[in-house]
Structure formats: C-alpha cells, structure tokens
C-alpha cells in the first residue's frame, strides 16, 4: 500500500513506489519519499535523484 500520493493541478499523479524514467540520466528510478522545502514539494527517487514541484502546482497531497 502506498504511503503517499501527490496530485498536481494538471492531473499528474505521483505515487510512492512508482517508477519513472529520467531520459537525461538514462535511468529508471523508483519514487521513495517526498519532502516539503519552502515553496516546493521535493520528490526523492532511488539512486539519489530528486525532482521539485512548485507548491502552486500541487492540488492534493494524500499521506497514510
């Protein structure tokens, strides 16, 4: 069971455990956690990869 789900204002969903391919890195990583950093939600993937989403684009954060 996922620990969290983030839904953006454009309908994109990020769910704990989902895999995502990063073309620039040539790697597929698994979403492990999220953190709040000022005006951003930082998604932390396996392999040390991070991605930041501006808080203004976040519609919902669901945490278990």
């Amino acid at each position: 069971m996922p620990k969290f789900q983030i839904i953006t204002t454009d309908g994109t969903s990020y769910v704990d455990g989902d895999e995502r391919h990063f073309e620039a890195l040539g790697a597929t990583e698994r979403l492990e956690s999220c953190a709040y950093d000022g005006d951003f939600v930082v998604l932390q993937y396996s392999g040390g990869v991070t991605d930041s989403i501006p808080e203004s684009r976040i519609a919902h954060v669901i945490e278990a």
Side-chain angles (χ1 to χ4, degrees):
M1 173 179 241
K3 294 184 236 175
F4 65 88
Q5 179 178 11
I6 298 169
I7 303 168
T8 63
T9 55
D10 68 2
T12 304
S13 180
Y14 299 90
V15 180
D16 175 39
D18 280 356
E19 290 189 343
R20 178 176 168 194
H21 183 71
F22 293 89
E23 190 67 37
L25 302 174
T28 299
E29 305 294 348
R30 185 174 43 83
L31 182 56
E32 295 182 333
S33 64
C34 66
Y36 306 96
D37 185 15
D39 293 334
F40 294 89
V41 172
V42 180
L43 305 177
Q44 299 163 337
Y45 291 84
S46 58
V49 177
T50 61
D51 187 17
S52 299
I53 303 171
E55 188 177 52
S56 62
R57 288 192 48 227
I58 304 297
H60 302 282
V61 176
I62 302 163
E63 296 181 272

